[in-house]
């Protein structure tokens, strides 16, 4: 677990080693235990290490036997013992006991075929000194990030965007044309970022750079292979299979030369992971919560820990601590992320890092096993979609004139929309029209705020090719939504904040649900063992019921709730937002009067505008950090 930076550039107009050092220093939090630098005048690689396996050896950059290949790697390869045995039998010579070296020799043995054999989380860059080629790859689900910026024959790359900024040829510019998309979705749904020219290597992709030419290809697509209704009696069989596979995954993810702990909430996902971890070690668990009891999971987590014999450390976060840490959270994220749960996760990671260097968590269970309540909406719409589209559209027009909150209004309006527009994540926060209305009039009126090659487009237009691909391969809307969430929401929000918040605390976060063997089971579950009109995560809950208390196994999906909506009604925090909303930066990008109205309506209880307030606020705080 670490971080890396680098550049391919033959220019001699600057001190390459000093620049590389500054880039590595910018991500020192990812690896405070050691650093390594490499530069041959063409490719420069910088590395920061958080030592987890082979604590004294396995420093990077790593070289093969003849020094022709150089590797920097962030992540963990959980099946490295098996791969090492196979490669050693083929004549490869290993000089460390770490997991990273299997990437070097695996590339020599199998080329891109290596990627499908890896069980783990990773982003890595492998440089061939003889050919000048740089090969980079990212794990199947995007657990570990990788950013790059290409201009001419120069390529900058690294684990975090902040690692690119010290390079003297990097031009720091806001990608203004994507601000509306950010307001709608809270992230960018494709490979762009809010830094102009900086891109993300998507999950399950590799890229090759040689002589100024970039090639990028997908090597993994999350495909669900079974749908429909399950045969009688198969739920018990699948529950047993899930339980056994998850047990193996937790045991595999627990391998380390340092102590491993677990995050613990009241939900079924983290409790399953912690319970399995307790079978093989004396696991510490960590929980954060709020003084407002209605939002807090502290009591439920403490009860579960006591009942199962787990050590549990807890911390209460109040409104002052929450707001005080927002700048640090937005800086750590690289791009603005207005998901309020990032803040308690930041505190949770820093608390855990006081005791351990590695934790396991429950991310990915909802996407793989069907945990979000809005998946059930697809099932509710199925019979209504048999009504001819013109009739549904007429009903939607009539319903639009009814007062908000009228029973059936939302159903009739959303039921008339095609799936691509009805998919909730496209307009998770603002509608596209609302987002454009919130932007400064000059910015919105231009219609192409980022220039002619970067038009101000709605998020569903950016993602339409992906939606069509998913719809073409998915047998039903539940499966399509799960697939899209894996490709978008999980990758661009859930996993990104998990990586950035844990690494900000120099803590490794492992996710046993996002394991290739676990996904193999989840992808074969019939749809009605994932979601029904009454229940979510059906098969996973059945697996949990085999070992967890019934109340925990049946716990409904709650998410990481915060009292933020309540706090924003208080004068103190409303004044904090109002001050930021009237800053020079806010006047440059937003219609300030519109922001004031959103805040006034929220304080008065006329509207629930927490997300619509928090999104521009986080952007402005982030903008102060980077611009």
């Amino acid at each position: 677990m670490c971080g890396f930076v680098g550049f391919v550039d033959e220019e001699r107009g600057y001190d390459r080693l000093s620049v590389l050092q500054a880039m590595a220093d910018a991500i020192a939090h990812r690896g405070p235990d050691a650093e390594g630098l490499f530069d041959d005048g063409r490719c420069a690689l910088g590395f920061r290490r958080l030592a987890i396996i082979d604590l004294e050896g396995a420093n990077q950059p790593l070289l093969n036997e003849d020094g022709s290949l150089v590797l920097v790697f962030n992540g963990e390869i959980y099946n490295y013992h098996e791969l090492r045995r196979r490669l050693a039998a083929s004549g490869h010579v290993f000089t460390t006991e770490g997991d990273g070296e299997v990437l070097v020799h695996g590339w020599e043995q199998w080329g891109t075929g290596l990627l499908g054999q890896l069980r783990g989380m990773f982003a890595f860059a492998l440089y061939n000194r003889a050919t000048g080629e740089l090969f980079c790859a990212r794990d199947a689900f995007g657990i570990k990030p990788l950013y790059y910026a290409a201009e001419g024959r120069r390529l900058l790359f690294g684990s975090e965007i902040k690692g690119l900024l010290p390079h003297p040829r990097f031009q720091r510019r806001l990608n203004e044309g994507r601000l509306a998309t950010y307001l709608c979705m809270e992230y960018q749904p494709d490979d762009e970022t809010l830094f102009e020219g900086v891109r993300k290597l998507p999950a399950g992709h590799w890229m090759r750079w040689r002589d100024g030419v970039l090639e990028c290809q997908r090597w993994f697509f999350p495909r669900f292979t079974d749908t429909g209704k399950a045969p009688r009696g198969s739920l018990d069989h699948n529950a047993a299979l899930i339980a056994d596979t998850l047990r193996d995954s937790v045991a595999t993810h627990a391998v380390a030369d340092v102590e491993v702990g677990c995050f613990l909430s009241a939900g079924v996902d983290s409790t399953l992971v912690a319970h399995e971890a307790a079978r093989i070690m004396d696991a510490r668990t960590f929980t954060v919560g709020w003084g407002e009891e209605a939002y807090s999971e502290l009591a439920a987590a403490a009860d579960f820990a006591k009942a199962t014999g787990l050590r549990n450390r807890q911390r209460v976060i109040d409104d002052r601590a929450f707001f005080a840490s927002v700048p640090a959270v937005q800086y750590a994220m690289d791009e603005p992320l207005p998901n309020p749960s990032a803040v308690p996760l930041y505190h949770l990671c820093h608390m855990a890092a006081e005791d351990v260097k590695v934790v396991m968590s429950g991310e990915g269970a909802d996407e793989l096993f069907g945990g979000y309540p809005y998946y059930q909406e697809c099932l509710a719409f199925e019979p209504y979609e048999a009504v001819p589209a013109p009739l549904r559209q007429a009903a939607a027009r009539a319903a639009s004139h009814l007062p908000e909150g009228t029973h059936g209004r939302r159903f009739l309006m959303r039921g008339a929309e095609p799936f691509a527009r009805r998919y909730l994540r496209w307009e998770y926060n603002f509608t596209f029209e609302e987002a454009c209305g919130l932007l400064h009039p000059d910015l919105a009126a231009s219609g192409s705020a980022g220039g002619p090659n970067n038009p101000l487009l709605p998020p569903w237009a950016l993602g339409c090719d992906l939606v069509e691909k998913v719809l073409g391969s998915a047998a039903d809307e539940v499966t399509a939504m799960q697939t899209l969430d894996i490709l978008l929401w999980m990758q661009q929000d859930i996993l990104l904040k998990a990586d950035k918040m844990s690494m900000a605390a120099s803590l490794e976060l492992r996710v046993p649900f996002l394991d290739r063997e676990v996904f193999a089971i989840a992808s074969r579950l019939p749809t009605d063992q994932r979601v029904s009109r009454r229940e979510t995560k059906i098969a996973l809950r059945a697996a949990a019921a085999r070992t967890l208390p019934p109340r925990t196994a049946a716990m409904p999906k709650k998410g990481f709730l915060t009292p933020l909506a309540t706090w924003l009604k208080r004068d103190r925090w409303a004044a904090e937002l109002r001050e930021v909303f009237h800053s020079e930066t806010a006047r440059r990008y937003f219609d300030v009067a519109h922001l004031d109205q959103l805040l006034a309506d929220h304080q008065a209880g006329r509207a629930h505008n927490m997300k619509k307030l928090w999104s521009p606020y986080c952007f402005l705080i982030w903008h102060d950090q980077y611009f």
Side-chain angles (χ1 to χ4, degrees), residues 44 46 54 106 147 169 356-357 359 374 396 415 444 448 460 466 499 509 537 545 555 558 599 613:
D54 189 10
Y147 299 91
R169 302 299 179 258
V356 298
K357 292 181 77 170
V359 290
Y374 63 82
S448 56
W460 60 85
L466 177 62
D499 172 83
L509 190 149
K537 283 190 292 202
M555 183 72 69
K558 292 175 64 177
L599 182 56
L613 292 165

Side-chain angles (χ1 to χ4, degrees), residues 135-207:
F135 179 86
C136 302
R138 194 172 174 202
D139 65 66
F141 297 108
I143 305 168
K144 295 288 104 185
L146 179 56
Y147 299 91
Y148 67 94
E151 183 179 6
R153 296 177 62 85
R154 180 186 301 113
L155 178 74
L156 313 181
F157 56 93
S159 300
E160 297 187 10
I161 295 175
K162 62 180 68 68
L164 311 184
L165 305 184
H167 196 283
R169 302 299 179 258
F170 182 83
Q171 297 184 27
R172 195 182 309 201
R173 292 190 296 262
L174 181 68
N175 191 354
E176 294 181 348
R178 288 305 187 89
L179 189 49
T181 303
Y182 161 78
L183 293 172
C184 291
M185 297 187 69
E186 302 189 345
Y187 55 78
Q188 302 304 318
D190 55 1
D191 64 344
E192 288 204 31
T193 71
L194 276 180
F195 285 89
E196 188 174 319
V198 177
R199 295 182 178 272
K200 302 163 282 194
L201 181 65
H205 281 67
W206 60 258
M207 74 178 193

Side-chain angles (χ1 to χ4, degrees), residues 47-354:
F47 181 74
R48 297 293 313 210
R49 185 183 186 202
L50 183 66
I52 303 298
I53 293 176
D54 189 10
L55 304 185
E56 300 301 322
N59 288 317
Q60 298 181 35
L62 278 169
L63 281 69
N64 64 345
E65 297 96 328
D66 63 6
S68 62
L69 295 177
V70 190
L71 171 81
V72 283
F73 154 59
N74 169 30
E76 299 288 352
I77 308 301
Y78 300 118
N79 62 336
Y80 77 98
H81 285 300
E82 172 204 341
L83 294 174
R84 182 186 176 111
R85 285 193 295 270
R86 291 168 56 195
L87 290 164
S90 296
H92 295 272
V93 178
F94 287 78
T95 60
T96 77
E97 297 300 318
D99 56 330
E101 204 172 355
V102 300
L103 298 177
V104 178
H105 299 299
W107 172 259
E108 291 178 305
Q109 185 74 19
W110 301 302
T112 57
L114 162 71
L115 301 175
Q117 302 187 55
L118 299 175
R119 184 180 185 183
M121 55 181 183
F122 59 85
F124 68 83
L126 188 62
Y127 170 57
N128 188 317
R129 300 176 72 178
T131 65
E133 177 182 290
L134 183 79
F135 179 86
C136 302
R138 194 172 174 202
D139 65 66
F141 297 108
I143 305 168
K144 295 288 104 185
L146 179 56
Y147 299 91
Y148 67 94
E151 183 179 6
R153 296 177 62 85
R154 180 186 301 113
L155 178 74
L156 313 181
F157 56 93
S159 300
E160 297 187 10
I161 295 175
K162 62 180 68 68
L164 311 184
L165 305 184
H167 196 283
R169 302 299 179 258
F170 182 83
Q171 297 184 27
R172 195 182 309 201
R173 292 190 296 262
L174 181 68
N175 191 354
E176 294 181 348
R178 288 305 187 89
L179 189 49
T181 303
Y182 161 78
L183 293 172
C184 291
M185 297 187 69
E186 302 189 345
Y187 55 78
Q188 302 304 318
D190 55 1
D191 64 344
E192 288 204 31
T193 71
L194 276 180
F195 285 89
E196 188 174 319
V198 177
R199 295 182 178 272
K200 302 163 282 194
L201 181 65
H205 281 67
W206 60 258
M207 74 178 193
R208 180 183 283 118
W209 175 267
R210 185 172 180 180
D211 297 329
V213 177
L214 180 69
E215 178 188 6
C216 186
Q217 289 190 22
R218 177 182 290 279
W219 67 268
F220 174 83
F221 188 86
R223 200 173 306 281
F224 288 82
T225 58
D226 199 356
T227 56
K229 295 185 178 180
R232 187 182 300 276
S234 70
L235 181 59
D236 288 341
H237 170 78
N238 285 337
L241 201 56
I242 292 168
D244 291 343
T245 306
L246 182 62
R247 182 169 301 152
D248 171 71
S249 181
V250 170
T252 301
H253 283 65
V255 174
D257 294 331
V258 296
E259 186 177 359
V260 179
C262 294
F263 289 161
L264 182 63
S265 70
V268 64
D269 307 333
S270 68
T271 50
L272 255 178
V273 170
H275 187 265
E276 293 302 331
R279 294 176 181 270
I280 55 176
M281 61 186 181
D282 180 20
R284 299 173 188 251
T285 63
F286 304 91
T287 310
V288 294
W290 315 102
E292 288 84 345
E293 191 173 332
Y295 296 94
S296 188
E297 296 183 323
L298 292 173
D303 290 344
F304 177 81
K306 183 177 181 181
T308 53
L310 288 164
R311 289 182 289 169
N312 183 234
R313 183 180 171 190
Q314 300 193 346
R315 180 169 293 172
V316 176
I317 306 169
D318 62 16
D319 52 353
R320 291 182 178 84
F322 183 94
F323 276 88
S325 56
V326 171
V329 168
Q330 296 305 320
Y331 177 76
M333 283 302 308
D334 276 342
E335 292 188 86
L337 183 74
N339 187 333
S341 66
V343 179
L345 182 57
Y346 176 86
H347 287 271
L348 179 61
C349 289
H350 275 78
M351 176 177 65
E354 295 170 4

Side-chain angles (χ1 to χ4, degrees), residues 574-593:
E576 160 71 20
L577 263 66
R578 193 172 290 109
E579 180 179 355
V580 172
F581 288 166
H582 283 258
S583 66
E584 182 180 345
T585 304
R587 294 180 184 279
R588 177 180 176 185
Y589 292 111
F590 298 112
D591 180 338
V592 173

